[in-house]
Amino acid sequence: MSTSDAAYCLNVAVKLAPATRDAAVARIAELQAATTTTEPGCVMYSLGEDTKDRNTLHLQERYVDEAAFKAHIGSPHFAAWQEWVKANDAVFDTTFVFFWDR
């Protein structure tokens, strides 16, 4: 499959520390808003809560290409999220699934 005509996508499962769950949800919502309003390469960024575990969030992200995703992870708002997570021990585990979507 040629990747030149495919969107770069990822699904992310984020297991949050219960003590910081509400603050983390607010921070991820800020990241989502900044991503969708300032990154032209972001096609979709969806955030939802797991149906069985409220401390697990699921993100679905879609970018026009891999370069747009790399721009996202190099953005100031993404760096701010990562710094906050580290400073607050807010995330227990993160699972990523990357794929090309035609």
Side-chain angles (χ1 to χ4, degrees), residues 5 30 39 45-46 51-52 59 67 70 73-74 77 91 102:
D5 58 350
E30 291 172 5
E39 296 181 28
Y45 192 121
S46 176
T51 60
K52 296 179 181 167
L59 292 78
K70 287 181 178 180
I73 60 174
H77 44 271
V91 173
R102 304 188 86 166

Side-chain angles (χ1 to χ4, degrees), residues 6-25:
Y8 191 77
C9 304
L10 64 150
N11 293 332
V12 185
V14 182
K15 177 74 173 172
L16 302 172
T20 59
R21 183 227 179 257
D22 293 340
V25 170

Side-chain angles (χ1 to χ4, degrees), residues 7-100:
Y8 191 77
C9 304
L10 64 150
N11 293 332
V12 185
V14 182
K15 177 74 173 172
L16 302 172
T20 59
R21 183 227 179 257
D22 293 340
V25 170
R27 292 284 183 147
I28 292 176
E30 291 172 5
L31 174 61
Q32 177 189 34
T35 300
T36 58
T37 59
T38 66
E39 296 181 28
C42 178
V43 177
M44 188 266 299
Y45 192 121
S46 176
L47 169 62
E49 183 178 298
D50 191 270
T51 60
K52 296 179 181 167
D53 178 6
R54 72 181 302 264
N55 294 319
T56 298
L57 300 180
H58 297 278
L59 292 78
Q60 295 179 316
E61 302 175 44
R62 181 182 179 105
Y63 297 88
V64 294
D65 56 22
E66 190 173 4
F69 172 72
K70 287 181 178 180
H72 167 66
I73 60 174
S75 69
H77 44 271
F78 189 80
W81 159 250
Q82 289 191 309
E83 289 170 19
W84 184 85
V85 166
K86 186 175 181 180
N88 292 280
D89 277 334
V91 173
F92 286 155
D93 190 35
T94 307
T95 303
F96 297 90
V97 176
F98 295 92
F99 61 97
W100 298 106

